[in-house]
Amino acid sequence: MNSVEVIELKPKKQPISITLQIIFVIAVLISGIASLFIKELMPLLYAMLSLTLFTMAWNQYKISKKKKVAILYAVFGIITLVSAIWELL
């Protein structure tokens, strides 16, 4: 009879940047809802949105190897970061 060899496959470990992106998206949703009621929280929304966009740019660049999309996310991240700083002034 033929012998069968069992190979155990281990799943890849999820990068920490994906977990951070999920956390930042949840934080953007929460701060977006909060900024609907309290207008002073708009800089927080912009800051969380820029962190999310920078994390998305990093994930697109490193994991998905899509450099053009990563540049687009980074540009929008810079715009929202400038908006956050502008709101604070």
Side-chain angles (χ1 to χ4, degrees), residues 16-36:
I16 190 73
S17 60
I18 298 290
T19 308
L20 279 176
Q21 182 177 337
I22 294 168
I23 291 170
F24 287 149
V25 166
I26 292 169
V28 164
L29 292 173
I30 291 170
S31 62
I33 292 169
S35 67
L36 288 174

Side-chain angles (χ1 to χ4, degrees), residues 6-12:
V6 176
I7 300 173
E8 184 178 334
L9 298 175
K10 294 182 181 178
K12 289 174 108 176

Side-chain angles (χ1 to χ4, degrees), residues 54-68:
F54 288 137
T55 309
M56 289 169 65
W58 177 261
N59 288 336
Q60 289 291 324
Y61 183 75
K62 284 293 184 180
I63 297 171
S64 299
K65 308 293 187 209
K66 296 180 181 176
K67 293 172 183 30
K68 291 181 182 178

